[in-house]
Amino acid sequence: MLSQAAFPTGGLYFKNKTWVKETKGKHAIIHNNYIVGFEKKIKRFRDFNLWLVDDHASESPLGKL
């Protein structure tokens, strides 16, 4: 099993601020589940300062992907 502190579910991470503070620095991957819709997932990551993709993420040296 994976460590809950390192790999929290969206239900835990996004709904329990106390737990997030107590486990700060231990998160490796935060699952963005318990929400439906691609745009909603991106918005939630942005709202929590977890969206780290720049504006050129869909580009390659060969052009747009």
Side-chain angles (χ1 to χ4, degrees):
M1 284 185 61
L2 298 173
S3 161
Q4 190 174 37
F7 303 96
T9 65
L12 178 60
Y13 187 87
F14 296 111
K15 295 181 180 181
N16 191 332
K17 292 179 184 180
T18 302
W19 182 87
V20 172
K21 287 179 186 177
E22 291 172 356
T23 58
K24 185 175 182 176
K26 297 181 181 180
H27 312 130
I29 295 174
I30 299 161
H31 295 276
N32 202 355
N33 54 354
Y34 292 88
I35 190 170
V36 177
F38 184 70
E39 295 301 323
K40 288 181 182 179
K41 290 175 186 276
I42 292 173
K43 181 182 181 326
R44 183 162 70 176
F45 271 155
R46 284 187 174 135
D47 291 347
F48 281 78
N49 295 317
L50 297 171
W51 187 254
L52 306 176
V53 181
D54 63 24
D55 291 336
H56 305 286
S58 63
E59 297 179 17
S60 77
L62 302 174
K64 285 215 176 253
L65 298 175

